């Protein structure tokens, strides 16, 4: 009765105070998948309840919600309730729906790595553990949803399910974990190991991090201009064909519930239409059915397309006009924006009246522009892949832009227009640098060296003492020789420092990364040879200081003894 319970063992104590680790990460992944699935379920059930003529029961609505959630991840669906009985694929992913699981996965990755605010709390979860837990938890819910959806009218394609769902989960969770750890550059630098050594030295050089960062930023800005401009083109074309768009909107369904559903579907497909319009402006255009291209030179949409407000914005069939050709201004603007971003990174202006800070030469600025074109190619190819897909078989087997044409076209426009823009903007931002350097050189004496005794006080205070009579009493300047020795030492050190600064070359164009990065960041990139100026400068400074310290002892005056002549 009076026996006390044994205290906790060290093992149980460690288990009690351990980090949540994999279990909490799994829970975060499950919650992220559940929130996305629940949001679509609530939306579909709301439309089903408000519909005056529902075609199926609540089970059918739940199957549609699960199918839409899988479609939002890029999983191709198979429709079985067709008139012919043959299954038809549905592979056009609404990009606005894709943002919902991507954002939830990003937040789950961040929450999985958050450390406790308490000083004695558990340590933060390792990055690999958090990422793996979120992905596994998300895929578990996705697999269960696919099994449930396989018995409905819209069934997932298992091949696409095995590729698209893990890819989206890994990318979204990885972005969240990477952001939670402060966006370290190690993953990007380690990825450069896959690039062959000669190509890495020519393209990236010693400042690989700065170049990749600039290329990604410039390509992102160029892509934003293309997609945003594409949205403006869609809006302008929809207004231009306003009568056809309004008639198609009213023809699809009756009642406010059905029209609201059509409106939501059109809003979810607006990002897709923006990418299609961007591909149209780039030149390759898009296809509205197999063998029916639409581009600025000609428009040939497939006949008997279903009425839809966004399809009303497609240019009329026939050859292109000058109004269609004006869409080429969009990639021109995107290329100029990319070149401007590269030029800003190549030359930084500190302020008004101050010299610009040159980081890259003209050749390396050209290399960064080409790298920007490559990144822009990858981004547009990825967007084109996700924005299109099949809506059936035969003529309906392909809708949207072709990624192998849209991506290279975006890269070509960026390279052709971004390169001259970057070079011209770089030269413009360097204005005033030559005049400032010429003015600095003109102030120097001939030979490029300053006079040896410039600024050195010669025998300061000694002429004043030479004219004094010996009987004038005790001299008041007993400390002046010592002060003059200190001044001589300071002047000598200042002279050595000025000589070293004059002998240094102009600002190094590659001062973004240290010459010798930490061991964990080394990826085999070529390191620049250290300059010998600093090694030469250090002995001069150390030699000047002892000399200055020794001079006061040599020039110190003898102390006066009592009884010397001249005292009163």
């Amino acid at each position: 009765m009076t026996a006390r319970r044994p205290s906790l063992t060290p093992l149980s104590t460690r288990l009690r105070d351990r980090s949540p680790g994999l279990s909490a990460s799994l829970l975060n992944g499950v919650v992220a998948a559940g929130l996305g699935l629940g949001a679509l379920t609530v939306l579909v059930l709301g439309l089903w309840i408000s519909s005056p003529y529902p075609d199926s029961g609540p089970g059918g609505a739940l199957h549609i919600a699960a199918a839409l959630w899988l479609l939002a991840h890029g999983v191709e669906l198979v429709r079985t309730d067709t008139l012919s009985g043959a299954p038809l694929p549905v592979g056009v992913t609404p990009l606005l729906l894709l943002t919902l699981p991507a954002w939830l996965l990003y937040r789950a990755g961040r929450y999985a790595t958050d450390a406790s605010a308490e000083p004695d709390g558990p340590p933060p979860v390792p990055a690999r553990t958090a990422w793996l837990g979120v992905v596994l938890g998300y895929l578990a819910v996705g697999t269960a949803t696919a099994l449930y959806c396989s018995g409905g009218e819209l069934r997932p394609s298992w091949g696409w399910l095995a590729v698209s769902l893990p890819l989206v989960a890994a990318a979204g969770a990885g972005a969240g974990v990477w952001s939670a750890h402060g966006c370290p550059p190690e993953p990007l630098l380690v990825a450069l190991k896959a690039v062959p050594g000669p190509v890495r030295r020519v393209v990236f050089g010693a400042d690989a991090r700065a170049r990749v960062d600039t290329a990604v930023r410039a390509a992102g800005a160029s892509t934003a201009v293309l997609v945003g401009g594409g949205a403006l083109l869609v809006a302008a074309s929809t207004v231009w064909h306003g009568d056809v768009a309004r008639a198609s909107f009213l023809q699809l369904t009756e009642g406010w519930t059905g029209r609201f559903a059509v409106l939501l579907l059109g809003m979810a497909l607006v990002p897709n239409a923006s990418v299609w319009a961007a591909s149209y402006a780039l030149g390759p255009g898009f296809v509205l059915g197999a063998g029916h291209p639409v581009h600025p030179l000609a428009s040939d949409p497939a006949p008997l397309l279903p009425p839809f407000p966004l399809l009303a914005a497609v240019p009329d069939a026939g050859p292109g006009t000058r109004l269609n050709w004006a869409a080429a201004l969009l990639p021109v603007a995107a290329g100029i924006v990319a070149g401007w971003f590269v030029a800003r990174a190549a030359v930084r202006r500190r302020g008004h009246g101050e010299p610009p800070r040159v980081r890259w030469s003209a050749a390396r600025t050209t290399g960064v522009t080409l790298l920007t074109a490559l990144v822009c190619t990858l981004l547009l190819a990825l967007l084109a892949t996700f924005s299109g897909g099949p809506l059936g078989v035969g003529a309906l087997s392909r809708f949207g832009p072709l990624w192998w044409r849209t991506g290279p076209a975006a890269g070509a426009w960026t390279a052709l227009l971004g390169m001259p823009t970057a070079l011209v903007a770089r030269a413009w931002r360097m204005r005033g640098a030559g005049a400032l350097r010429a003015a600095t050189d003109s102030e120097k004496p001939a030979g490029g060296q300053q006079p040896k005794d410039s600024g050195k006080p010669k025998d300061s205070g000694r002429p004043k003492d030479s004219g004094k009579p010996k009987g004038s009493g005790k001299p008041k300047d007993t400390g002046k020789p010592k002060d003059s020795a200190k001044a001589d030492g300071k002047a000598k050190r200042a002279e050595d420092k000025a000589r070293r600064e004059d002998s240094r070359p102009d600002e190094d164009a590659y001062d973004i990364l240290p010459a010798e990065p930490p061991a964990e960041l080394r990826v085999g990139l070529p390191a620049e040879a250290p300059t010998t100026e600093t090694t030469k400068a250090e002995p001069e400074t150390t030699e000047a200081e002892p000399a200055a310290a020794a001079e006061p002892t040599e020039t110190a005056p003898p102390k006066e003894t009592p009884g010397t002549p001249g005292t009163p």
Side-chain angles (χ1 to χ4, degrees), residues 151-166:
E153 297 176 354
L154 289 175
R155 303 176 180 179
S157 174
W158 295 104
W160 281 94
L161 180 69
V163 175
S164 298
L165 187 61

Side-chain angles (χ1 to χ4, degrees), residues 95-195:
L95 294 181
L96 192 61
L97 288 183
L98 179 60
T99 58
L100 177 62
W103 181 76
L104 290 174
L105 281 166
Y106 173 81
R107 298 301 300 175
R110 286 188 61 89
Y111 289 150
T113 54
D114 281 346
S116 177
E118 300 178 0
D120 298 335
V125 182
R128 293 183 180 179
T129 303
W131 175 79
L132 183 62
V134 172
V135 172
L136 291 180
Y138 200 88
L139 292 181
V141 177
T143 304
T145 305
L147 291 174
Y148 173 77
C149 188
S150 61
E153 297 176 354
L154 289 175
R155 303 176 180 179
S157 174
W158 295 104
W160 281 94
L161 180 69
V163 175
S164 298
L165 187 61
L167 180 62
V168 173
V177 173
W178 184 59
S179 176
H181 282 79
C183 300
E186 288 86 350
L188 298 178
L189 296 178
V190 171
L192 297 180
K193 289 184 177 180
V195 182

